[in-house]
Amino acid sequence: MLRGVRRTILAVTGFLLLLAVAGPPATAHDPDTPEGRAEQAEMLRIYQPTWRSGERLAGAPITCVNGKADKYPCKNVDLLSFLPQSALGGGGSSSMWYWTDTRDSNEYILYCRSNGVSFVNVTDPSNPRYLGNLPSSNGVSSSWCDVRTYKNYAYIGKDSVSHGIQIFNLNRLQGVTTPQTFTADARFTGLTNSHTLQINQNTGFLYVSGANTCGKGLTIYDIKTPLTLTLAACYSREVYSHESIVVTYAGPDTRYTGREIAFNYTGQGRRFQILDVTNKSNIVVLSSVTHPGASFIHQGFATSDYKHMIVNDETISTASGSPDFVYNIEKLDAARYVGRDNGTRGTFVNHNGYTVGNRHFQASYRGGLRILDTTNAASASLPEVGYFDVDPSSNASGYSGSWMALPYLKNGVVAVQSIGVGLFLVRPTGTAAVS
């Protein structure tokens, strides 16, 4: 079984080397430009690794010993299983999300690919099961795909192509034993493309960033009737919204308890914003701040006490490490930059991060999954306590490797995606585990 994994690594080496030679893409941020479209074509061209049909790793976990789990560099993270891209429908890959069926507590990963979305039952993380594929609308392909869930529905969007938003009833996955090709339950065509999606589970609003609507700002839809999207608001005061994290606020600033707050990241706008989006007809900017040398403020996530925000800047990597930027958000209308943790982990580029307890789980492209301790976030100190490197060939800057890592599965399991390579399920141990 492990020999198959080694062959898999060798098969994808050429793909990774192509990215290493090419270096970082020129944009990767606003695909609705000639440069972005050219970049997408190049990404699709190189995301064609040659896999042997059926290769997969499953069964007994592989413990991280002496810095390795099989061929993968690691620290305090064990490998539970791996499904290669060929076993997930092929194509490239980008974002993913998770869903738990409340009827039987089964867990699923929704794995976003250039040519569709894969559904994987991960209830047994040592033996994940691929259930099938929802092809992209009209057969279009895009390197940028995003998916989120609301109740038992999935919402899927793609950037730089005319795709709209697909809606899929996840209840249809129950009882599936043979991989299927699914069809969408609905398709919304009120927009053509979108970059990222976010849903507030408490309020039933979908927040779309980087779409062709609202000047690529934040477009808000009411999805309380899940198969119908109703436009609720348009926030177009920034040149771009790359991503927003939206919550029903329960943090230390009690003036805003119970209000709907969006933490908005404006990409090339170089701003981190805090928006009160409770009143959709009167969105209020509470704070709009930046950090020194800001280049492309990509995404961020709050510490569990909502006192600080850990922000990544997608085009910054340095020889001395991969920085994260910390903001104090104890007062939502007076957010302020605290400082940067430069890290000593490699020159890879940090991407999406999510916090559980006192651990921040970050997908860091060629650095794979990195796990940071947020205990001393107030002083912008985020020491690394664990990692699992999905790209053993390099920790350099560039946009191969891990796009997203999700730390929300049961029993501490983390899903780690690798672009065009496949899905890893891992479990942090020791000091890397959530405490």
Side-chain angles (χ1 to χ4, degrees):
M1 196 68 72
L2 293 182
R3 287 194 297 272
V5 176
R6 294 187 182 99
R7 289 195 300 270
T8 294
I9 296 169
L10 290 173
V12 79
T13 298
F15 154 71
L16 295 173
L17 287 176
L18 277 170
L19 283 175
V21 171
T27 60
H29 318 301
D30 186 356
D32 193 21
T33 63
E35 295 82 2
R37 287 189 289 273
E39 175 198 336
Q40 179 199 340
E42 175 66 6
M43 291 169 78
L44 289 174
R45 181 183 70 79
I46 61 179
Y47 290 162
Q48 301 298 328
T50 55
W51 303 103
R52 290 178 174 85
S53 176
E55 285 188 334
R56 66 195 297 268
L57 168 66
I62 300 177
T63 303
C64 178
V65 178
N66 297 325
K68 291 286 183 68
D70 190 45
K71 292 292 186 179
Y72 300 99
C74 59
K75 176 183 177 182
N76 294 328
V77 180
D78 294 341
L79 174 61
L80 302 181
S81 62
F82 167 69
L83 284 179
Q85 196 78 14
S86 60
L88 293 165
S93 55
S94 50
S95 184
M96 62 180 175
W97 205 242
Y98 66 101
W99 178 68
T100 300
D101 190 335
T102 56
R103 298 170 299 176
D104 55 17
S105 298
N106 278 349
E107 292 186 301
Y108 300 85
I109 287 295
L110 285 54
Y111 187 85
C112 223
R113 307 180 346 271
S114 57
N115 52 357
V117 172
S118 303
F119 303 106
V120 185
N121 186 319
V122 295
T123 308
D124 178 357
S126 294
N127 291 283
R129 293 189 299 111
Y130 169 68
L131 302 182
N133 168 48
L134 172 64
S136 301
S137 298
N138 298 328
V140 299
S141 186
S142 171
S143 301
W144 298 279
C145 169
D146 205 14
V147 56
R148 291 295 186 272
T149 62
Y150 175 66
K151 296 183 176 179
N152 56 295
Y153 289 90
Y155 297 79
I156 304 109
K158 288 185 180 293
D159 207 342
S160 78
V161 292
S162 183
H163 179 270
I165 293 179
Q166 292 173 302
I167 308 171
F168 179 77
N169 186 343
L170 294 163
N171 284 337
R172 294 165 59 189
L173 300 179
Q174 191 175 54
V176 173
T177 57
T178 303
Q180 301 182 18
T181 299
F182 295 98
T183 57
D185 291 275
R187 179 185 175 215
F188 176 72
T189 58
L191 53 73
T192 58
N193 63 283
S194 56
H195 194 67
T196 55
L197 310 177
Q198 183 69 24
I199 297 174
N200 186 341
Q201 303 295 320
N202 296 322
T203 61
F205 285 99
L206 167 66
Y207 293 80
V208 183
S209 293
N212 66 305
T213 51
C214 297
K216 300 181 184 177
L218 195 59
T219 310
I220 307 173
Y221 294 97
D222 185 331
I223 58 170
K224 287 188 283 293
T225 301
L227 293 178
T228 303
L229 274 63
T230 303
L231 182 64
C234 177
Y235 175 74
S236 58
R237 282 176 255 176
E238 290 295 321
V239 297
Y240 186 61
S241 172
H242 184 270
E243 190 153 346
S244 280
I245 304 295
V246 186
V247 301
T248 300
Y249 185 73
D253 195 342
T254 56
R255 296 174 297 168
Y256 296 94
T257 298
R259 297 189 69 82
E260 194 167 16
I261 301 297
F263 300 99
N264 190 41
Y265 309 90
T266 67
Q268 65 265 35
R270 301 183 179 91
R271 309 296 292 178
F272 159 54
Q273 295 183 315
I274 302 177
L275 311 177
D276 186 341
V277 294
T278 309
N279 182 349
K280 302 299 182 290
S281 62
N282 183 31
I283 293 175
V284 178
V285 180
L286 301 178
S287 291
S288 185
V289 290
T290 192
H291 51 258
S295 178
F296 191 90
I297 295 183
H298 172 264
Q299 184 260 6
F301 210 82
T303 54
S304 293
D305 59 9
Y306 269 85
K307 292 183 178 180
H308 296 90
M309 181 67 63
I310 301 169
V311 173
N312 48 77
D313 194 316
E314 194 179 7
T315 59
I316 294 180
S317 64
T318 68
S320 61
S322 304
D324 289 288
F325 302 86
V326 180
Y327 292 81
N328 183 295
I329 58 169
E330 292 181 83
K331 292 186 177 180
L332 296 184
D333 58 356
R336 56 184 175 83
Y337 172 65
V338 173
R340 62 188 277 170
D341 180 291
N342 283 317
T344 55
R345 305 179 286 274
T347 59
F348 50 77
V349 178
N350 292 330
H351 201 242
N352 288 49
Y354 299 95
T355 305
V356 177
N358 61 354
R359 296 292 180 260
H360 186 71
F361 298 81
Q362 194 165 60
S364 298
Y365 284 114
R366 289 177 178 168
L369 166 68
R370 319 305 288 202
I371 305 175
L372 312 180
D373 184 347
T374 66
T375 303
N376 295 312
S379 56
S381 175
L382 302 167
E384 184 176 83
V385 292
Y387 61 83
F388 185 87
D389 191 346
V390 300
D391 182 357
S393 67
S394 173
N395 272 349
S397 62
Y399 297 104
S400 63
S402 184
W403 180 296
M404 180 169 282
L406 293 176
Y408 299 122
L409 300 177
K410 290 181 292 190
N411 301 317
V413 175
V414 180
V416 185
Q417 169 271 0
S418 185
I419 300 171
V421 175
L423 173 65
F424 296 82
L425 295 175
V426 302
R427 179 180 284 121
T429 64
T431 57
V434 174
S435 59

